[in-house]
Amino acid sequence: MNYDGPFIIQIISTFSKFLLENTVATEHVSKKLYRVFIELAQNVALYSSERVGLINGAFIGKGKVYIIENNDAFKCITINRIHKEHAATLIKNCSEINITPIEALRTKKRNLYKIANVQDTGAHIGLIMIYTYSANPLEFEIIDNEDGESYFKIAATINKVENS
Amino acid sequence: MENLHVNINPELVYYPIVSFNYQTGICEISGESYMEETYKFYEPIILWLQNYIAEKKSIVLNVKLTYFNTSSSRFILEIFYILKKYTDAGGDVRINWHYKNDDPDILTEINDFMEEANIKITIIPFQ
């Protein structure tokens, strides 16, 4: 499954329900894929620097999502344009999440709730939740194109047989 | 003060159903929560809650959320902070969270809410 366009809530909801209802996997694994997809998709909606105007006057982030399945796992990948100056923070946050023990991440998440603006909890907590739900390291990179634009690519893997 | 009932559209599954009863003090939030502009949805709920507890009435909050995104978590936690403050001031508060017993990710989130808000949540598993 793949999609390229604005990540409006109706599209996120339709795709996520499709994943939940049509994924051949245990209910728990399907739920993990569902939740990871929504968190990744809403990161694009909120933080992509490529914005699309909607009829109601709001602007929503544009990007790409791919769901890939192999024998062992599902992989959910999103790509969205970012402001160049955010690249280092995204890489730092993802790198830290991957090496932080899960209990410490839970504490970090709670601390972030305290400092987050009430209207915007920020991408950092979302990244922690993606890591927690997927139970696998985040794969991420910054892609610079020849026009000088930067894109954030992130992938979360959900194993079909859960980690012990 | 009137009851608060929010059921925006049953087909828009990213909005939870909210039913807060002023007479009985039984309040329920159920479904899923991952809408855009989360604060617009939760602001009236938080306002209702603040006005309700200002009357020193008892409250039972039944949470039956099966999924909530990161933005919604912030507001759910805000509700628990308000109820914790009310409890500390002598308010009669009970919180029940009904969750499907094969969903450990939700259980983890409930435990994190309890720890962060320092408030008791009775966890009620169902099949």
Side-chain angles (χ1 to χ4, degrees), chain A residues 55-164:
Chain A
I55 291 170
N56 65 6
F59 285 84
I60 203 80
K62 182 176 179 292
K64 298 175 185 175
V65 63
Y66 303 90
I67 309 286
I68 297 167
E69 179 181 3
N70 63 28
N71 288 338
D72 303 321
F74 298 96
K75 187 174 278 196
C76 188
I77 305 161
T78 57
I79 304 171
N80 63 274
R81 199 168 75 193
I82 58 167
H83 295 295
K84 260 190 185 315
E85 61 270 27
H86 294 164
T89 304
L90 283 166
I91 295 298
K92 176 175 168 286
N93 288 347
C94 290
S95 303
E96 282 179 0
I97 288 166
N98 278 349
I99 58 166
T100 305
I102 198 73
E103 286 304 316
L105 273 182
R106 288 172 68 181
T107 304
K108 188 177 185 70
K109 180 186 70 179
R110 294 199 301 270
N111 289 335
L112 284 168
Y113 279 135
K114 288 178 196 164
I115 61 172
N117 183 299
V118 81
Q119 291 185 17
D120 178 6
T121 53
H124 201 171
I125 303 173
L127 293 172
I128 292 173
M129 292 311 300
I130 291 160
Y131 174 85
T132 307
Y133 287 140
S134 69
N136 275 307
L138 302 172
E139 297 169 57
F140 51 91
E141 64 176 310
I142 302 294
I143 302 165
D144 293 316
N145 71 10
E146 52 196 23
D147 295 328
E149 296 167 333
S150 293
Y151 289 81
F152 178 55
K153 178 180 177 183
I154 180 167
T157 300
I158 299 101
N159 297 345
K160 290 182 177 176
V161 177
E162 292 171 63
N163 302 342
S164 57

Side-chain angles (χ1 to χ4, degrees), chain B residues 11-22:
Chain B
E11 290 183 8
L12 304 182
V13 294
Y14 37 91
Y15 288 107
I17 296 168
V18 175
S19 181
F20 284 15
N21 190 301
Y22 174 75

Side-chain angles (χ1 to χ4, degrees), chain B residues 49-118:
Chain B
L49 196 61
Q50 286 169 330
N51 290 334
Y52 178 85
I53 63 178
E55 298 192 17
K56 309 290 182 197
K57 288 162 63 81
S58 64
I59 182 167
V60 177
L61 176 64
N62 292 314
V63 185
K64 297 177 179 176
L65 289 170
T66 54
Y67 173 66
F68 41 92
N69 68 355
T70 304
S71 299
S72 300
S73 293
R74 180 66 189 83
F75 289 91
I76 296 164
L77 189 57
E78 185 65 28
I79 289 169
F80 292 149
Y81 283 147
I82 290 166
L83 293 178
K84 168 62 177 169
K85 201 172 169 186
Y86 185 44
T87 303
D88 290 346
D92 180 16
V93 175
R94 273 182 293 155
I95 306 171
N96 304 310
W97 194 310
H98 303 254
Y99 89 106
K100 201 167 179 193
N101 63 359
D102 63 352
D103 194 351
D105 292 328
I106 288 284
L107 185 59
T108 300
E109 289 300 299
I110 301 167
N111 284 317
D112 281 353
F113 283 134
M114 264 200 279
E115 194 166 337
E116 177 52 36
N118 191 23

